[in-house]
């Protein structure tokens, strides 16, 4: 029997997923060492529909990396002052320095997607953005920044399932906003805005890669594998750390003051 596109039986199992992810996370650490060794700077932009899985793949990438080297940037609604700045200005302070990785959980492309579809910017502002974005990104590339852009795709049937899950789970309800509820009615409009964005900003040096996130586990592995493959020569000598014996029996914590640990949870 032919499986349908939404057949859950083809989803990647948890054990297989974590085994494959662990191998990729080792390679991500190789990449991080290479960046430190060379002083290169890496920016990864994650865009896509609501519930596609941007946060999940960003967490999978960042969780085993040094947080001082790898930063996640997820900007809130712009302030009144920021709304009156050059559009790209609020993103510039978050760009990486030598050896750093910045993962943008949504980025300047908010203007081409959410803002445009939901009416938070004018059509003229959206068109100016589409003209300026390739120029802005070329400046980043010319300065030596490595820039990769990913769009996460998800069919509406899965989007609806994930919205319902967020509504039902108190620990995930913060992910569901009134804007998300309104956006459910604009699935087709978001697709048109995406296509316009891709046509205007898919450029040499900063192309878009689309990744299927109907199966989020498989999507994470696919995206990370693709990113690693874009930087194939990233092996550098690992720093050896001498770890001699302690030389005495391990000591216990002692508290010779009134300060003591709080009672353990039961």
């Amino acid at each position: 029997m032919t499986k349908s596109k939404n057949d859950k039986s083809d989803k990647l199992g948890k054990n297989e997923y974590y085994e494959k992810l662990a191998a990729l996370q080792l390679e991500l650490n190789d990449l991080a060492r290479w960046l430190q060794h060379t002083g290169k700077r890496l920016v990864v932009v994650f865009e896509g529909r609501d519930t596609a899985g941007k946060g999940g793949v960003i967490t999978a990438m960042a969780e085993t990396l040094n947080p001082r080297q790898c930063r996640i940037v997820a900007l809130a609604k712009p302030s009144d002052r920021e709304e009156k700045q050059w559009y790209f200005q609020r993103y510039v302070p978050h760009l990486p320095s030598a050896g750093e990785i910045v993962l943008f959980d949504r980025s300047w492309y908010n203007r081409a997607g959410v803002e445009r579809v939901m009416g938070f910017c004018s059509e003229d502002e959206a068109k100016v953005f589409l003209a300026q974005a390739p120029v802005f990104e070329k400046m980043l590339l010319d300065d030596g920044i490595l820039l990769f852009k990913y769009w996460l795709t998800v069919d509406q049937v899965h989007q609806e399932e994930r919205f319902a899950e967020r509504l039902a789970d108190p620990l995930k309800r913060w992910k569901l906003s009134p804007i998300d509820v309104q956006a459910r009615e604009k699935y087709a409009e978001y697709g048109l805005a995406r296509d316009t964005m891709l046509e205007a900003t898919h450029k040499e040096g900063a192309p878009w890669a689309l990744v299927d996130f109907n199966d989020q586990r498989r999507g994470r592995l696919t995206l990370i594998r693709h990113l690693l493959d874009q930087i194939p020569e990233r092996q550098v000598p690992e720093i050896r750390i001498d770890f001699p014996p302690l030389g005495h029996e391990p000591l216990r914590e002692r508290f010779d003051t009134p300060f003591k640990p709080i009672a353990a949870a039961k």
Side-chain angles (χ1 to χ4, degrees):
M1 182 176 67
T2 303
K3 292 180 180 178
S4 71
K5 189 174 183 179
N6 299 321
D7 190 343
K8 292 185 178 181
S9 66
D10 193 41
K11 282 199 169 186
L12 191 65
K14 183 179 291 187
N15 290 339
E16 183 181 2
Y17 163 69
Y18 281 116
E19 181 179 345
K20 291 177 180 292
L21 177 61
L24 291 175
Q25 288 174 331
L26 284 173
E27 292 192 55
L28 285 169
N29 274 271
D30 288 342
L31 171 60
R33 282 195 298 273
W34 177 81
L35 290 167
Q36 284 188 319
H37 181 76
T38 60
K40 297 286 188 181
R41 295 161 289 165
L42 175 62
V43 170
V44 188
V45 166
F46 298 86
E47 294 288 341
R49 296 182 181 277
D50 292 323
T51 79
K54 295 179 290 296
V57 68
I58 290 171
T59 298
M61 290 179 62
E63 64 184 354
T64 63
L65 299 178
N66 184 342
R68 294 185 180 88
Q69 181 186 12
C70 178
R71 291 185 286 111
I72 299 171
V73 176
L75 299 186
K77 178 182 175 182
S79 65
D80 290 342
R81 183 174 185 274
E82 288 172 331
E83 285 183 344
K84 296 174 177 62
Q85 294 175 344
W86 176 48
Y87 180 75
F88 295 92
Q89 187 170 338
R90 69 192 295 246
Y91 295 97
V92 171
H94 300 281
L95 294 172
S97 187
E100 292 182 344
I101 303 167
V102 173
L103 309 176
F104 278 99
D105 185 351
R106 293 200 185 278
S107 65
W108 44 91
Y109 282 101
N110 233 31
R111 173 136 294 181
V114 174
E115 291 187 23
R116 188 175 200 180
V117 174
M118 300 306 295
F120 298 144
C121 71
S122 68
E123 272 300 298
D124 285 344
E125 288 173 325
K127 289 176 181 177
V128 167
F129 167 82
L130 292 175
Q132 289 185 349
V135 179
F136 173 66
E137 291 171 3
K138 187 175 186 304
M139 293 170 66
L140 303 184
L141 296 168
D142 288 347
D143 201 55
I145 289 178
L146 302 170
L147 174 63
F148 299 97
K149 304 184 299 191
Y150 290 96
W151 178 273
L152 283 54
T153 76
V154 61
D155 295 336
Q156 193 168 28
V157 63
H158 295 302
Q159 188 182 56
E160 285 292 289
E161 290 171 355
R162 293 169 193 174
F163 277 141
E165 181 184 358
R166 291 178 180 184
L167 183 63
D169 186 345
L171 300 181
K172 294 183 177 181
R173 203 165 294 152
W174 63 270
K175 296 183 178 182
L176 187 62
S177 71
I179 297 300
D180 296 331
V181 176
Q182 295 176 38
R184 292 173 61 229
E185 304 300 323
K186 296 183 179 292
Y187 185 90
E189 289 88 337
Y190 270 100
L192 292 173
R194 175 206 60 212
D195 293 345
T196 301
M197 179 199 75
L198 294 175
E199 184 177 0
T201 61
H202 180 77
K203 302 294 183 181
E204 183 179 359
W208 282 97
L210 277 62
V211 186
D212 184 341
F213 263 70
N214 284 313
D215 180 340
Q216 290 182 318
R217 291 173 186 161
R218 199 180 300 277
R220 290 171 201 152
L221 299 179
T222 301
L223 189 155
I224 296 170
R225 177 75 270 160
H226 181 274
L227 175 64
L228 290 166
D229 287 346
Q230 306 314 300
I231 312 174
E233 302 298 331
R234 57 178 186 276
Q235 293 294 325
V236 296
E238 190 169 354
I239 298 174
R240 295 183 61 86
I241 299 176
D242 292 329
F243 198 71
L246 191 58
H248 58 75
E249 288 296 316
L251 303 178
R252 295 176 60 90
E253 286 274 22
R254 291 186 59 182
F255 302 93
D256 298 326
T257 71
F259 298 101
K260 300 289 188 291
I262 61 175
K266 297 181 180 180

